[in-house]
């Protein structure tokens, strides 16, 4: 039996965004709900404004690629400025808050998940000086990928230094991957679309950032390719140790692919909760996770390869709602673990 099919605990986590502006409060809440066997994350706080959004936060880890914010979005520039300092300061505040909370815990969490925009979505969401997206220029894309890889290594080392020995897992969110890979990203004028990026380039970019994270001490990476078969197919060929997919978007054919991946040792994160919708009961969430699993004949002992999570959107909920949602996910993970243990 592959190592990742050996009995393990089903885990709960969340996408990574969080309501509010106080990193101490956010870390305390997340770690309070997702301690023990589960997977707490370093929360991002988009409500703080530019630099704490998904693209700005990721640009803040780049090495030797200055950036600023323009009316049309984030842009690569010649020298650092106020917007870059704001993004870097926000991330430093988050890491410092993590260190303060973890250092005060009697039993610090054994693992921690970080999340950043992935290389494809970052290239789609960042502009060159002349206003076009980084996607338009192969050389600029490569430079961005390499800078992100170097920054990922630095981030893992910085977080490891304050995380009290926790294993670090790094997730790359790729909401734009499918439109990038199918040539549906509009040009600056909006009258045309940019040429599709080759799937091989996507895989190489994901493998580049994965290798950097692992070399810096991370235990693995997760790619969340978003909707779209092309992006999911590309992500399956990457070296990422796990994929993160929305359970309601997985077809029967895709479940067969995922079964092969799980049997080969890859972990799976299933987003069973949409923070923008009413929260279902535990039984309904457990059934949503098990339905495809059982349909393709995966053994229940393999549930140890599963982590239940959310789609992005917790930032729009109240603090109390976000905490209750994490508690519900823990209940779902515990119920699935009971199924695994009894199987």
């Amino acid at each position: 039996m592959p190592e990742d099919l050996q009995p393990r605990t089903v885990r709960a986590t969340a996408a990574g965004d969080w309501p509010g502006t106080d990193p101490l409060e956010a870390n305390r809440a997340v770690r309070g709900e997702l301690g023990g066997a589960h997977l707490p994350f370093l929360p991002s706080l988009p409500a703080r404004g530019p630099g704490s959004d998904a693209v700005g936060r990721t640009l803040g880890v780049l090495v030797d690629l200055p950036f600023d914010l323009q009316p049309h979005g984030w842009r690569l520039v010649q020298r650092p400025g106020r917007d870059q300092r704001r993004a870097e300061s926000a991330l430093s505040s988050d890491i410092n808050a993590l260190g303060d909370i973890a250092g005060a815990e009697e039993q610090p969490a054994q693992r921690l998940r970080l999340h950043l925009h992935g290389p494809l979505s970052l290239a789609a969401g960042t502009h060159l000086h002349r206003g076009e997206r980084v996607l338009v220029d192969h050389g600029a894309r490569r430079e961005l990928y390499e800078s992100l890889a170097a920054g990922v290594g630095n981030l893992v080392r910085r977080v490891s230094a304050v995380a009290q020995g926790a294993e670090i897992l790094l997730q790359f969110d790729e909401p734009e991957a499918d439109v990038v890979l199918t040539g549906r990203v509009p040009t600056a004028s909006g009258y045309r679309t940019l040429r599709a990026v080759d799937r091989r380039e996507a895989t190489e970019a994901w493998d580049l950032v994965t290798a950097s994270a692992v070399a810096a001490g991370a235990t693995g990476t997760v790619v969340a390719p978003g909707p779209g078969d092309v992006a999911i197919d590309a992500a399956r060929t990457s070296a990422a140790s796990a994929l993160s997919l929305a359970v309601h978007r997985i077809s029967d054919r895709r479940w067969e692919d995922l079964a092969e991946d799980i049997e080969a040792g890859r972990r799976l994160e299933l987003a069973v909760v949409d923070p923008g919708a009413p929260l279902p009961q535990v039984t309904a969430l457990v059934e949503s996770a098990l339905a495809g699993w059982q349909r393709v004949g995966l053994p229940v002992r393999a549930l140890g390869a599963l982590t239940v999570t959310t789609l992005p959107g917790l930032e729009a909920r109240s603090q109390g709602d976000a905490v209750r949602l994490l508690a519900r996910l823990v209940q779902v993970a515990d119920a699935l673990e009971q199924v695994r243990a009894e199987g």
Side-chain angles (χ1 to χ4, degrees), residues 79-308:
R79 58 185 60 85
R82 179 183 60 185
D83 299 317
Q84 180 168 343
R85 290 192 293 272
R86 181 189 302 168
E88 293 171 344
S89 175
L91 182 57
S92 293
S93 295
D94 294 340
I95 295 172
N96 291 338
L98 169 69
D100 290 343
I101 299 299
E105 292 172 337
E106 292 185 6
Q107 293 184 316
Q110 298 178 354
R111 55 190 64 86
L112 176 71
R113 192 167 67 111
L114 312 177
H115 73 108
L116 294 170
H117 241 35
L120 299 187
S121 297
L122 189 64
T126 307
H127 299 77
L128 298 170
H129 185 75
R130 60 184 181 273
E132 194 53 87
R133 299 175 194 272
V134 170
L135 280 177
V136 76
D137 187 311
H138 181 273
R141 293 199 305 269
R142 185 65 192 179
E143 189 175 12
L144 185 70
Y145 301 159
E146 291 174 350
S147 178
L148 178 60
V152 161
N154 290 342
L155 177 64
V156 170
R157 285 185 285 270
R158 288 174 66 191
V159 172
S160 295
V162 302
Q164 303 296 314
E167 297 178 358
I168 305 296
L169 183 68
L170 186 56
Q171 174 162 319
F172 295 102
D173 296 320
E174 289 283 18
E176 305 298 326
D178 206 68
V179 295
V180 168
L181 294 173
T182 55
R184 292 182 288 132
V185 177
T187 60
S189 68
Y191 293 116
R192 297 185 298 108
T193 56
L194 299 177
R195 180 179 300 176
V197 169
D198 188 78
R199 276 179 48 177
R200 183 181 305 176
E201 179 180 325
T203 301
E204 290 174 351
W206 289 326
D207 289 354
L208 180 68
V209 293
T210 288
S212 180
V214 172
T219 58
T221 62
V222 183
V223 171
D229 285 340
V230 174
I232 296 172
D233 286 339
R236 290 186 63 232
T237 66
S238 75
S241 52
L243 298 182
S244 182
L245 302 172
V247 67
H248 68 279
R249 294 174 179 156
I250 302 177
S251 65
D252 286 351
R253 183 186 69 81
R254 183 61 67 196
W255 266 113
E256 293 173 0
D257 295 336
L258 296 175
E260 293 179 6
D261 293 344
I262 291 166
E263 289 167 353
R266 175 170 273 159
R267 293 187 62 85
L268 175 64
E269 290 193 1
L270 279 184
V272 297
V273 170
D274 178 355
L279 185 58
Q281 294 299 311
V282 172
T283 301
L285 295 174
V286 169
E287 290 175 351
S288 72
L290 284 177
W293 201 275
Q294 295 171 331
R295 196 156 54 242
V296 295
L298 277 167
V300 293
R301 71 181 185 278
L303 283 169
L306 179 64
T307 299
V308 290

Side-chain angles (χ1 to χ4, degrees), residues 44 65 70 95 118 122-123 225 235:
S44 63
L65 275 187
Q70 296 295 314
I95 295 172
L122 189 64

Side-chain angles (χ1 to χ4, degrees), residues 32-109:
E33 295 300 325
L34 296 177
H38 299 291
L39 185 55
F41 53 91
L42 179 65
S44 63
L45 303 171
R48 289 183 301 197
S52 293
D53 59 291
V55 174
R57 181 180 178 85
T58 304
L59 289 173
V61 310
L62 296 185
V63 174
D64 297 331
L65 275 187
F67 57 92
D68 69 7
L69 182 61
Q70 296 295 314
H72 60 271
W74 292 101
R75 178 185 68 165
L76 300 181
V77 293
Q78 294 298 314
R79 58 185 60 85
R82 179 183 60 185
D83 299 317
Q84 180 168 343
R85 290 192 293 272
R86 181 189 302 168
E88 293 171 344
S89 175
L91 182 57
S92 293
S93 295
D94 294 340
I95 295 172
N96 291 338
L98 169 69
D100 290 343
I101 299 299
E105 292 172 337
E106 292 185 6
Q107 293 184 316

